[in-house]
């Protein structure tokens, strides 16, 4: 399973990259706004900076919601860097744009997916990635992870090539469950990635190893 980081914050992207496990980045208009990046020129410059930092796929989302506008934006975004993946919303014109972008060999990530039916259309259109939003489904008291399992089952049976990118991840447990459900990629906030490092028995065990080593060294120097 590939690990993407779900942020537009350059420091967090660098921190995840330094860990040596980062395969790509996803952003969305809300994440760009959170960093205070506004205006087309600044936004595109920021995507360029991210693409220079990370060689893997970087998702950049269109703002238009009509076919013509999405196609124009997608072509402009794809010009920024080779590793740009154009993120397109799961709407009628979005599906049409994804199918056309595939024929132009521009990679796409279909975002805001909440049902298995939507997932079938996304794969038929030929998206590179599909982003089912786990956390937002959980927020409505439905089981977000069940959607990943359902899409995995359908895509496996039908031999669809679209990669399942589990999005709206809120915790380390979500990452583990996404891996078990067959996600190809998981995109997470930095905190969720770092939470995977933690286990109290690791800390206790490491302390004991270091104490035992220290004791053995002290005994050696006395003999
Ligand atoms: C990433 O591609 C999505 O836009 C993101 O994971 C949404 O996460 P949220 O539900 O925490 O905003």
């Amino acid at each position: 399973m590939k690990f993407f980081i779900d942020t537009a914050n350059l420091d967090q992207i660098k921190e995840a990259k330094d860990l040596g496990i980062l395969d790509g980045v996803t952003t969305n208009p809300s994440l760009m706004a959170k960093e205070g990046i506004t205006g087309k020129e600044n936004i595109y410059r920021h995507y360029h900076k991210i693409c220079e930092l990370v060689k893997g796929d970087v998702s950049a989302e269109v703002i238009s919601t009509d076919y013509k506008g999405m196609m124009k934006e997608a072509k402009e975004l794809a010009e920024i860097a080779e590793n740009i993946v154009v993120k397109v919303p799961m709407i009628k014109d979005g599906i049409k744009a994804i199918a056309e972008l595939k024929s132009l060999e521009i990679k796409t990530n279909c975002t805001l997916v909440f049902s298995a039916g939507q997932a079938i259309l996304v794969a038929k259109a030929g998206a590179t990635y599909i982003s089912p939003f786990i956390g937002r489904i959980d927020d409505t008291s439905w089981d977000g992870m069940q959607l990943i399992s359902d899409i995995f089952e359908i895509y496996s049976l039908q031999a669809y090539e679209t990669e399942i990118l589990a999005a709206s991840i809120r915790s380390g447990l979500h990452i583990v469950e996404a891996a078990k459900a067959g996600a190809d990629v998981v995109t997470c906030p930095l905190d969720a990635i770092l939470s995977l490092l933690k286990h109290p028995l690791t800390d206790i065990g490491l302390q004991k190893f270091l104490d035992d080593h220290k004791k053995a060294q002290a005994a050696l120097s006395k003999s």
Side-chain angles (χ1 to χ4, degrees), residues 170-197:
R170 305 273 161 82
S171 65
L173 183 60
H174 265 166
I175 299 173
V176 173
E177 294 295 330
K180 283 163 67 181
D184 299 290
V185 191
V186 71
T187 189
C188 342
L190 181 63
D191 284 356
I193 299 175
L194 296 180
S195 77
L196 296 179
L197 290 166

Side-chain angles (χ1 to χ4, degrees), residues 6 26-28 87 109 111 131 133 136 167-170 187:
D6 195 24
T26 53
T27 63
N28 63 36
K87 215 169 167 194
N109 173 359
T111 188
S131 290
F133 277 31
R136 292 194 198 184
S168 188
I169 292 287
R170 305 273 161 82
T187 189

Side-chain angles (χ1 to χ4, degrees), residues 15-44:
E15 189 173 340
K17 186 187 170 191
D18 287 348
L19 209 53
I21 50 91
L22 191 65
D23 299 301
V25 179
T26 53
T27 63
N28 63 36
S30 305
L31 292 171
M32 293 299 267
K34 196 173 161 193
E35 297 308 310
I37 301 148
T38 52
K40 190 172 169 180
E41 229 174 83
N42 290 333
I43 289 172
Y44 279 37

Side-chain angles (χ1 to χ4, degrees), residues 3 73 179 215:
F3 265 73
E73 264 189 77
K215 273 185 225 155

Side-chain angles (χ1 to χ4, degrees), residues 90 95 110 113 118-127 129-130 155 162:
M90 172 60 228
I95 290 296
C110 188
V113 172
Q118 291 178 326
I120 292 173
L121 281 181
V122 173
K124 288 294 291 177
Y129 298 105
I130 181 170
Y155 281 18
T162 300

